[in-house]
Amino acid sequence: MLAAREHWGSRFGFIMATAGSAIGLGNIWRFPYMAGENGGSAFILIYLAVVVTFGISLVMAEMVLGRVTQRNPVGAFRALGGRGWALAGGLGVLTGFVILSFYVVVAGWTLAYMVFMAGNQLPTADPAVLGGHFSGFVGRTFSPLFAATIFMGLTAWIVAGGVGKGIERASKVLMPLLFVLLLVLVARSVTLPGADPGLAFLLTPDFSRVTIDTIISATAQAFFSLSIGMGVMITYGSYLPRNVNIPRSTLIIVLLDVGVAVLAALMVLPAVFAVGLDPSAGPGLTFITLPAVFASMPFGNLFGTLFFALLAIAALTSAVSILEPMIAWAVDEHGIGRGAATLAASLVCLLLAIPASLSFGPLSDATLAGKTFFDWMDFLANNVMLPLGGLLVASFVGWRWAKPACTHLTNDGTLRLPWLTAWIWLLRVGAPVAIVALVWQAVSTS
Ligand code: PHE
């Protein structure tokens, strides 16, 4: 006998938790530097186009799968498609381990940088010194792992609290806090003297820098950012009561996710231009370039501490959502208690985080085909496993389960959705074509 499934306490709580999943390091750490490297607003426009077409379609498809079955990804696919399709859910659960292995490492850095900023340990605007500090810190053996362990502990503590008392309660506090912090920092950044070139960079699209690679990175970014392809949306959808309007909730969540990504770019890039740094500094943009920006503004320590707190909060609600599908699977399918399941899964993730963290230090030369363990986990998750997961959801809902999906999405015909046919064809053809191109390109150029 299955115990009654827990549900979200309110629509607001559900939206905060789900937006919390979507809004993460992907929006605040990755998006600004990707936009910086890929021609600013041209990249942003392509990303928006992918989000409103494939992105929204896949989020709705996953949520419907979860709500109908009231199960974790494995159970959901098994209930509707049988044993073979259950493997698609299994891939999702596995992807969670792969993502968390590197996600907690970067999230640990944000915690450490919060402490460095608060303690005024980065009082220089010289990017070379800051670069040395960054590679020195991440290259150490124990401190980054210690930070990752604290982060994993916080994540596990929230997840162990359960859906309502853990995830929903934490999200209802952390997400509004995140929005406030973000607005404060954007206001600071765009009013810095010399911010205009940064704003211009963001507002005038430079399509000459757009290549097929730009389109592909924008697509991968859209998937990662919306938490599509590993069953997070299936799992969070499975805690939904029947009567929720999925299309409307999806729209709100996607708008919040996109809004935060664009605001993060507005927060980071004008500041980078204001102090004359290079916007295409890549992954180091947040950890090297931004401390230089903070060092050269009044009350920089305060703003710097707030910025890394913002990053840590965003990462925390996302990490919670990456852990939850594994827990839901262990609880639903194997009757394991939530606490025990959380502890076991977190320990496995931490074990995987060890080589990921050491990839920047003692294991930096231990590469396979030129990639460290960290690079491999990142590459596999973003460029192979998440897209593949998205492909399986799209094909399943589009080809095998289209009629019931439409019935459920419209709440048994009570919602009038004129775009249902477009939704199904995006899932049938549009998303698979885009995904196959993405994976093919990623694998052939890596
Ligand atoms: N969407 C999260 C981010 O932008 C990452 C994530 C990926 C979360 C996949 C859940 C599942 O950081």
Side-chain angles (χ1 to χ4, degrees), residues 175-197:
M175 293 313 288
L177 181 64
L178 177 140
F179 296 133
V180 173
L181 287 180
L182 184 66
L183 291 179
V184 170
L185 289 161
V186 172
R188 172 67 279 202
S189 179
V190 298
T191 53
L192 283 173
D196 290 358

Side-chain angles (χ1 to χ4, degrees), residues 240-263:
L240 274 177
R242 299 267 162 205
N243 54 359
V244 166
N245 182 332
I246 289 184
R248 191 192 294 150
S249 304
T250 302
L251 191 65
I252 299 175
I253 290 157
V254 168
L255 285 177
L256 286 172
D257 184 57
V258 168
V260 170
V262 172
L263 282 176

Side-chain angles (χ1 to χ4, degrees), residues 77-248:
F77 269 111
R78 185 184 299 122
L80 301 174
R83 276 171 178 275
W85 278 102
L87 292 175
L91 173 74
V93 172
L94 196 66
T95 308
F97 285 101
V98 174
I99 300 185
L100 268 184
S101 72
F102 69 87
Y103 207 83
V104 296
V105 172
V106 180
W109 300 346
T110 71
L111 285 182
Y113 266 70
M114 200 169 92
V115 174
F116 297 154
M117 276 288 163
N120 198 18
Q121 292 179 40
L122 305 167
T124 168
D126 181 349
V129 176
L130 290 164
H133 182 279
F134 178 67
S135 41
F137 171 71
V138 301
R140 282 202 249 157
T141 305
F142 290 109
S143 339
L145 269 177
F146 179 68
T149 307
I150 295 191
F151 183 84
M152 192 68 234
L154 287 171
T155 308
W157 177 58
I158 294 176
V159 170
V163 177
K165 293 212 174 78
I167 303 177
E168 183 171 354
R169 192 155 71 174
S171 309
K172 283 199 302 201
V173 178
L174 293 173
M175 293 313 288
L177 181 64
L178 177 140
F179 296 133
V180 173
L181 287 180
L182 184 66
L183 291 179
V184 170
L185 289 161
V186 172
R188 172 67 279 202
S189 179
V190 298
T191 53
L192 283 173
D196 290 358
L199 286 173
F201 177 75
L202 278 177
L203 300 176
T204 35
D206 178 3
F207 283 106
S208 71
R209 301 224 358 222
V210 172
T211 61
I212 190 81
D213 276 343
T214 323
I215 300 178
I216 295 203
S217 348
T219 310
Q221 172 64 19
F223 274 56
F224 185 76
S225 181
L226 289 173
S227 311
I228 302 169
M230 60 153 287
V232 170
M233 295 298 169
I234 298 181
T235 310
Y236 276 20
S238 77
Y239 303 129
L240 274 177
R242 299 267 162 205
N243 54 359
V244 166
N245 182 332
I246 289 184
R248 191 192 294 150

Side-chain angles (χ1 to χ4, degrees), residues 58-66 228-234 393:
L58 279 160
V59 173
M60 290 193 301
E62 285 201 19
M63 270 189 201
V64 168
L65 286 175
I228 302 169
M230 60 153 287
V232 170
M233 295 298 169
I234 298 181
V393 168

